[in-house]
Amino acid sequence: MGPRAFLLLLLSFLAPWATKALRPALRALGSLHLPTNPTSLPAVAKNYSVLYFQQKALAGHLHTCIIQLNRSKTPLVDHFGFNTVKTFNQRYLVADKYWKKNGGSILFYTGNEGDIIWFCNNTGFMWDVAEELKAMLVFAEHRYYGESLPFGDNSFKDSRHLNFLTSEQALADFAELIKHLKRTIPGAENQPVIAIGGSYGGMLAAWFRMKYPHMAVGALAASAPIWQFEDLVPCGVFMKIVTTDFRKSGPHCSESIRRSWDAINRLSNTGSGLQWLTGALHLCSPLTSQDIQHLKDWISETWVNLAMVDYPYVSNFLQPLPAWPIKVVCQYLKNPNVSDSLLLQNIFQALNVYYNYSGQVKCLNISETATSSLGTLGWSYQACTEVVMPFCTNGVDDMFEPHSWNLKELSDECFEQWGVRPRPSWITTMYGGKNISSHTNIVFSNGELDPWSGGGVTKDITDTLVAVTISEGAHHLDLRAKNALDPTSVLLARALEVRHMKNWIRDFYDRAGKQH
């Protein structure tokens, strides 16, 4: 597997949904949900207004959600240049059921790599705390994702059109949107804003507080791997955590997966073996010898996705899954010392938990792993420019085939597809890497089951740069809606997060009172 494929395979978790247009394994890098007819329907429909810049007002319906299109000022395509005034329509959602003009707050979701309605419907924490914090909820869509396309259908045409797809431009969009909301919504002007996000969105929330501290009083950055760059953390930490999740979920589970790669290699050496693999794995299309690396990438991506969504209850974030899905998977992988054919039959049963828990899928498609609500092309470009995260495996400390980090190979692959080369040092230059102690009021939450925690902030840096650890938490479990099966660790984490947010809001109003 090439480095770009491997990187995007992993980034599919950060952006759990990028799949179809990427090279084989790049998909996992942006994907969290599969079936042949993927859906982003929420478990409980949320009521909110959907707003665009410069749209005529009209009414419509999405599921049971109320949609309103309003007219307002548009953001610039390029916030940092002066030779163009081109603007685009940025979509954002607003829910104000519990918002109070007196003593209220604004919880601002910093949208990541996908459709903002999908993120809105999967961030129940904000809805759960809205009344307590007297909060208006705002979900801002990230440029180049969902319907917020700066150049319409030409947005992904080439690197010239994609040149404005950066985290810096996205943060500036958020800043301009907050200014617009405060200017146009009566009562919002003098209210505190708290940035909230998960995964890449969590990175953006933290970076927004760092870069625009005058616009956000604090940030909750959930499962935000802001240190998964350069050599800030070991390149193998991500896959090591994935392996630990499987090892702890069943005896010999990770060892069975480790041995499956050679079994696939041996079985695929002959035409009859390829035919047998196609049938044993219930694949939708016949395997050829050229498909084997793609097959193994797809299987690897599945294990990674399972680690990210190893939730304590039935969920459908990426796919319809049972509670603690890795434990269910590992029931089929108890004995690594069996024949190659039996081992691969067991691997199929394990894969079937992820791809066919509903029992509705007739065959497995190795070109799909995640929800269509995530943006594949945009994330592929970002992984080739500034979101350059080193990953590697050695087959000893992890259950995957050995793969070294190769920046040159990644660079060549990116140049071939996009005509650009990555800048691996830019993110740490822009946002400080581990030198962030001068900033304040950021809560970094991480679940110990989440592979991305390896690149996250897991220890307090200062009294106001706080780490919250969720021992039984997978990928941003704390941002999901409350559930009767939530472990104590996530209940305590949410309570601590709300306490910090209340303190930020109180401090804001205390300062405002002293100024008058």
Side-chain angles (χ1 to χ4, degrees), residues 494-512:
R494 290 179 184 140
L496 183 57
E497 292 161 0
V498 170
R499 187 192 316 164
H500 280 287
M501 289 191 282
K502 285 183 173 180
N503 288 340
W504 299 336
I505 294 169
R506 183 198 64 222
D507 290 347
F508 173 86
Y509 282 114
D510 285 348
R511 287 192 301 271

PDB file of all heavy atoms in Angstrom, residues 494-512:
ATOM      1  N   ARG A 494     -18.522  14.541  30.345  1.00  0.00           N
ATOM      2  CA  ARG A 494     -19.470  15.571  29.912  1.00  0.00           C
ATOM      3  C   ARG A 494     -19.736  16.574  31.036  1.00  0.00           C
ATOM      4  O   ARG A 494     -19.843  17.776  30.779  1.00  0.00           O
ATOM      5  CB  ARG A 494     -20.774  14.912  29.455  1.00  0.00           C
ATOM      6  CG  ARG A 494     -20.654  14.146  28.148  1.00  0.00           C
ATOM      7  CD  ARG A 494     -21.978  13.511  27.779  1.00  0.00           C
ATOM      8  NE  ARG A 494     -21.867  12.698  26.571  1.00  0.00           N
ATOM      9  CZ  ARG A 494     -22.471  11.533  26.407  1.00  0.00           C
ATOM     10  NH1 ARG A 494     -23.222  11.033  27.381  1.00  0.00           N
ATOM     11  NH2 ARG A 494     -22.335  10.857  25.285  1.00  0.00           N
ATOM     12  N   ALA A 495     -19.851  16.067  32.262  1.00  0.00           N
ATOM     13  CA  ALA A 495     -20.096  16.975  33.383  1.00  0.00           C
ATOM     14  C   ALA A 495     -18.946  17.952  33.546  1.00  0.00           C
ATOM     15  O   ALA A 495     -19.150  19.152  33.813  1.00  0.00           O
ATOM     16  CB  ALA A 495     -20.297  16.163  34.670  1.00  0.00           C
ATOM     17  N   LEU A 496     -17.718  17.461  33.380  1.00  0.00           N
ATOM     18  CA  LEU A 496     -16.552  18.328  33.498  1.00  0.00           C
ATOM     19  C   LEU A 496     -16.511  19.331  32.355  1.00  0.00           C
ATOM     20  O   LEU A 496     -16.186  20.511  32.554  1.00  0.00           O
ATOM     21  CB  LEU A 496     -15.279  17.477  33.507  1.00  0.00           C
ATOM     22  CG  LEU A 496     -13.957  18.219  33.707  1.00  0.00           C
ATOM     23  CD1 LEU A 496     -13.970  19.009  35.012  1.00  0.00           C
ATOM     24  CD2 LEU A 496     -12.786  17.229  33.696  1.00  0.00           C
ATOM     25  N   GLU A 497     -16.850  18.889  31.161  1.00  0.00           N
ATOM     26  CA  GLU A 497     -16.871  19.795  30.010  1.00  0.00           C
ATOM     27  C   GLU A 497     -17.886  20.920  30.215  1.00  0.00           C
ATOM     28  O   GLU A 497     -17.594  22.090  29.942  1.00  0.00           O
ATOM     29  CB  GLU A 497     -17.185  18.989  28.738  1.00  0.00           C
ATOM     30  CG  GLU A 497     -16.067  18.042  28.335  1.00  0.00           C
ATOM     31  CD  GLU A 497     -16.503  16.941  27.396  1.00  0.00           C
ATOM     32  OE1 GLU A 497     -17.704  16.898  27.028  1.00  0.00           O
ATOM     33  OE2 GLU A 497     -15.660  16.104  27.009  1.00  0.00           O
ATOM     34  N   VAL A 498     -19.068  20.569  30.705  1.00  0.00           N
ATOM     35  CA  VAL A 498     -20.098  21.583  30.948  1.00  0.00           C
ATOM     36  C   VAL A 498     -19.649  22.544  32.041  1.00  0.00           C
ATOM     37  O   VAL A 498     -19.894  23.761  31.957  1.00  0.00           O
ATOM     38  CB  VAL A 498     -21.439  20.912  31.314  1.00  0.00           C
ATOM     39  CG1 VAL A 498     -22.444  21.954  31.806  1.00  0.00           C
ATOM     40  CG2 VAL A 498     -22.007  20.150  30.116  1.00  0.00           C
ATOM     41  N   ARG A 499     -18.975  22.034  33.051  1.00  0.00           N
ATOM     42  CA  ARG A 499     -18.486  22.895  34.121  1.00  0.00           C
ATOM     43  C   ARG A 499     -17.506  23.933  33.574  1.00  0.00           C
ATOM     44  O   ARG A 499     -17.578  25.114  33.922  1.00  0.00           O
ATOM     45  CB  ARG A 499     -17.811  22.070  35.216  1.00  0.00           C
ATOM     46  CG  ARG A 499     -17.435  22.901  36.453  1.00  0.00           C
ATOM     47  CD  ARG A 499     -16.516  22.129  37.395  1.00  0.00           C
ATOM     48  NE  ARG A 499     -16.958  20.744  37.575  1.00  0.00           N
ATOM     49  CZ  ARG A 499     -16.179  19.791  38.089  1.00  0.00           C
ATOM     50  NH1 ARG A 499     -14.924  20.062  38.432  1.00  0.00           N
ATOM     51  NH2 ARG A 499     -16.642  18.567  38.244  1.00  0.00           N
ATOM     52  N   HIS A 500     -16.605  23.503  32.709  1.00  0.00           N
ATOM     53  CA  HIS A 500     -15.660  24.450  32.109  1.00  0.00           C
ATOM     54  C   HIS A 500     -16.396  25.481  31.256  1.00  0.00           C
ATOM     55  O   HIS A 500     -16.082  26.682  31.304  1.00  0.00           O
ATOM     56  CB  HIS A 500     -14.635  23.708  31.261  1.00  0.00           C
ATOM     57  CG  HIS A 500     -13.529  23.081  32.051  1.00  0.00           C
ATOM     58  ND1 HIS A 500     -12.516  23.813  32.643  1.00  0.00           N
ATOM     59  CD2 HIS A 500     -13.275  21.782  32.365  1.00  0.00           C
ATOM     60  CE1 HIS A 500     -11.698  23.004  33.273  1.00  0.00           C
ATOM     61  NE2 HIS A 500     -12.126  21.763  33.121  1.00  0.00           N
ATOM     62  N   MET A 501     -17.376  25.027  30.477  1.00  0.00           N
ATOM     63  CA  MET A 501     -18.114  25.960  29.630  1.00  0.00           C
ATOM     64  C   MET A 501     -18.874  26.976  30.470  1.00  0.00           C
ATOM     65  O   MET A 501     -18.934  28.167  30.131  1.00  0.00           O
ATOM     66  CB  MET A 501     -19.048  25.188  28.693  1.00  0.00           C
ATOM     67  CG  MET A 501     -18.298  24.435  27.593  1.00  0.00           C
ATOM     68  SD  MET A 501     -19.372  23.782  26.277  1.00  0.00           S
ATOM     69  CE  MET A 501     -20.050  22.355  27.085  1.00  0.00           C
ATOM     70  N   LYS A 502     -19.464  26.537  31.569  1.00  0.00           N
ATOM     71  CA  LYS A 502     -20.158  27.472  32.463  1.00  0.00           C
ATOM     72  C   LYS A 502     -19.191  28.496  33.043  1.00  0.00           C
ATOM     73  O   LYS A 502     -19.532  29.687  33.178  1.00  0.00           O
ATOM     74  CB  LYS A 502     -20.849  26.701  33.586  1.00  0.00           C
ATOM     75  CG  LYS A 502     -22.113  25.974  33.169  1.00  0.00           C
ATOM     76  CD  LYS A 502     -22.771  25.305  34.363  1.00  0.00           C
ATOM     77  CE  LYS A 502     -24.113  24.711  34.009  1.00  0.00           C
ATOM     78  NZ  LYS A 502     -24.758  24.054  35.173  1.00  0.00           N
ATOM     79  N   ASN A 503     -17.999  28.046  33.367  1.00  0.00           N
ATOM     80  CA  ASN A 503     -16.994  28.980  33.889  1.00  0.00           C
ATOM     81  C   ASN A 503     -16.610  30.015  32.843  1.00  0.00           C
ATOM     82  O   ASN A 503     -16.459  31.205  33.157  1.00  0.00           O
ATOM     83  CB  ASN A 503     -15.750  28.223  34.356  1.00  0.00           C
ATOM     84  CG  ASN A 503     -15.981  27.444  35.642  1.00  0.00           C
ATOM     85  OD1 ASN A 503     -16.919  27.732  36.388  1.00  0.00           O
ATOM     86  ND2 ASN A 503     -15.138  26.462  35.897  1.00  0.00           N
ATOM     87  N   TRP A 504     -16.446  29.587  31.599  1.00  0.00           N
ATOM     88  CA  TRP A 504     -16.091  30.535  30.536  1.00  0.00           C
ATOM     89  C   TRP A 504     -17.213  31.558  30.335  1.00  0.00           C
ATOM     90  O   TRP A 504     -16.945  32.753  30.156  1.00  0.00           O
ATOM     91  CB  TRP A 504     -15.847  29.789  29.222  1.00  0.00           C
ATOM     92  CG  TRP A 504     -14.729  28.785  29.275  1.00  0.00           C
ATOM     93  CD1 TRP A 504     -13.663  28.777  30.129  1.00  0.00           C
ATOM     94  CD2 TRP A 504     -14.579  27.634  28.426  1.00  0.00           C
ATOM     95  NE1 TRP A 504     -12.846  27.695  29.870  1.00  0.00           N
ATOM     96  CE2 TRP A 504     -13.385  26.980  28.830  1.00  0.00           C
ATOM     97  CE3 TRP A 504     -15.314  27.089  27.376  1.00  0.00           C
ATOM     98  CZ2 TRP A 504     -12.929  25.819  28.209  1.00  0.00           C
ATOM     99  CZ3 TRP A 504     -14.870  25.936  26.758  1.00  0.00           C
ATOM    100  CH2 TRP A 504     -13.694  25.313  27.173  1.00  0.00           C
ATOM    101  N   ILE A 505     -18.448  31.072  30.369  1.00  0.00           N
ATOM    102  CA  ILE A 505     -19.589  31.978  30.184  1.00  0.00           C
ATOM    103  C   ILE A 505     -19.677  32.961  31.349  1.00  0.00           C
ATOM    104  O   ILE A 505     -19.876  34.165  31.151  1.00  0.00           O
ATOM    105  CB  ILE A 505     -20.895  31.156  30.053  1.00  0.00           C
ATOM    106  CG1 ILE A 505     -20.862  30.323  28.766  1.00  0.00           C
ATOM    107  CG2 ILE A 505     -22.109  32.080  30.075  1.00  0.00           C
ATOM    108  CD1 ILE A 505     -21.967  29.283  28.674  1.00  0.00           C
ATOM    109  N   ARG A 506     -19.511  32.457  32.562  1.00  0.00           N
ATOM    110  CA  ARG A 506     -19.570  33.328  33.746  1.00  0.00           C
ATOM    111  C   ARG A 506     -18.476  34.382  33.702  1.00  0.00           C
ATOM    112  O   ARG A 506     -18.723  35.568  33.949  1.00  0.00           O
ATOM    113  CB  ARG A 506     -19.423  32.486  35.018  1.00  0.00           C
ATOM    114  CG  ARG A 506     -19.552  33.294  36.312  1.00  0.00           C
ATOM    115  CD  ARG A 506     -18.987  32.523  37.477  1.00  0.00           C
ATOM    116  NE  ARG A 506     -17.557  32.301  37.302  1.00  0.00           N
ATOM    117  CZ  ARG A 506     -16.943  31.149  37.569  1.00  0.00           C
ATOM    118  NH1 ARG A 506     -17.634  30.094  37.996  1.00  0.00           N
ATOM    119  NH2 ARG A 506     -15.643  31.035  37.370  1.00  0.00           N
ATOM    120  N   ASP A 507     -17.258  33.953  33.345  1.00  0.00           N
ATOM    121  CA  ASP A 507     -16.145  34.903  33.278  1.00  0.00           C
ATOM    122  C   ASP A 507     -16.409  35.973  32.218  1.00  0.00           C
ATOM    123  O   ASP A 507     -16.058  37.144  32.403  1.00  0.00           O
ATOM    124  CB  ASP A 507     -14.843  34.173  32.967  1.00  0.00           C
ATOM    125  CG  ASP A 507     -14.357  33.302  34.128  1.00  0.00           C
ATOM    126  OD1 ASP A 507     -14.890  33.464  35.244  1.00  0.00           O
ATOM    127  OD2 ASP A 507     -13.470  32.459  33.894  1.00  0.00           O
ATOM    128  N   PHE A 508     -17.010  35.570  31.106  1.00  0.00           N
ATOM    129  CA  PHE A 508     -17.323  36.532  30.053  1.00  0.00           C
ATOM    130  C   PHE A 508     -18.267  37.612  30.569  1.00  0.00           C
ATOM    131  O   PHE A 508     -18.037  38.815  30.371  1.00  0.00           O
ATOM    132  CB  PHE A 508     -17.950  35.804  28.858  1.00  0.00           C
ATOM    133  CG  PHE A 508     -18.462  36.720  27.779  1.00  0.00           C
ATOM    134  CD1 PHE A 508     -17.623  37.173  26.782  1.00  0.00           C
ATOM    135  CD2 PHE A 508     -19.797  37.134  27.771  1.00  0.00           C
ATOM    136  CE1 PHE A 508     -18.091  38.020  25.776  1.00  0.00           C
ATOM    137  CE2 PHE A 508     -20.268  37.981  26.774  1.00  0.00           C
ATOM    138  CZ  PHE A 508     -19.413  38.418  25.788  1.00  0.00           C
ATOM    139  N   TYR A 509     -19.328  37.196  31.243  1.00  0.00           N
ATOM    140  CA  TYR A 509     -20.298  38.179  31.732  1.00  0.00           C
ATOM    141  C   TYR A 509     -19.744  38.992  32.896  1.00  0.00           C
ATOM    142  O   TYR A 509     -20.091  40.175  33.049  1.00  0.00           O
ATOM    143  CB  TYR A 509     -21.600  37.477  32.115  1.00  0.00           C
ATOM    144  CG  TYR A 509     -22.450  37.127  30.913  1.00  0.00           C
ATOM    145  CD1 TYR A 509     -22.701  35.804  30.563  1.00  0.00           C
ATOM    146  CD2 TYR A 509     -22.991  38.128  30.114  1.00  0.00           C
ATOM    147  CE1 TYR A 509     -23.474  35.479  29.459  1.00  0.00           C
ATOM    148  CE2 TYR A 509     -23.762  37.822  28.996  1.00  0.00           C
ATOM    149  CZ  TYR A 509     -23.996  36.498  28.671  1.00  0.00           C
ATOM    150  OH  TYR A 509     -24.764  36.201  27.559  1.00  0.00           O
ATOM    151  N   ASP A 510     -18.867  38.373  33.690  1.00  0.00           N
ATOM    152  CA  ASP A 510     -18.235  39.126  34.779  1.00  0.00           C
ATOM    153  C   ASP A 510     -17.380  40.257  34.208  1.00  0.00           C
ATOM    154  O   ASP A 510     -17.415  41.392  34.702  1.00  0.00           O
ATOM    155  CB  ASP A 510     -17.370  38.213  35.643  1.00  0.00           C
ATOM    156  CG  ASP A 510     -18.196  37.319  36.558  1.00  0.00           C
ATOM    157  OD1 ASP A 510     -19.416  37.580  36.682  1.00  0.00           O
ATOM    158  OD2 ASP A 510     -17.636  36.361  37.124  1.00  0.00           O
ATOM    159  N   ARG A 511     -16.619  39.950  33.177  1.00  0.00           N
ATOM    160  CA  ARG A 511     -15.776  40.978  32.550  1.00  0.00           C
ATOM    161  C   ARG A 511     -16.632  42.054  31.890  1.00  0.00           C
ATOM    162  O   ARG A 511     -16.332  43.247  31.955  1.00  0.00           O
ATOM    163  CB  ARG A 511     -14.828  40.347  31.531  1.00  0.00           C
ATOM    164  CG  ARG A 511     -13.686  39.558  32.156  1.00  0.00           C
ATOM    165  CD  ARG A 511     -12.627  39.214  31.109  1.00  0.00           C
ATOM    166  NE  ARG A 511     -13.164  38.428  30.013  1.00  0.00           N
ATOM    167  CZ  ARG A 511     -13.218  37.101  29.995  1.00  0.00           C
ATOM    168  NH1 ARG A 511     -12.771  36.417  31.045  1.00  0.00           N
ATOM    169  NH2 ARG A 511     -13.714  36.451  28.960  1.00  0.00           N
ATOM    170  N   ALA A 512     -17.716  41.610  31.251  1.00  0.00           N
ATOM    171  CA  ALA A 512     -18.596  42.573  30.588  1.00  0.00           C
ATOM    172  C   ALA A 512     -19.223  43.514  31.608  1.00  0.00           C
ATOM    173  O   ALA A 512     -19.374  44.719  31.355  1.00  0.00           O
ATOM    174  CB  ALA A 512     -19.685  41.832  29.811  1.00  0.00           C
TER     175      ALA A 512
END
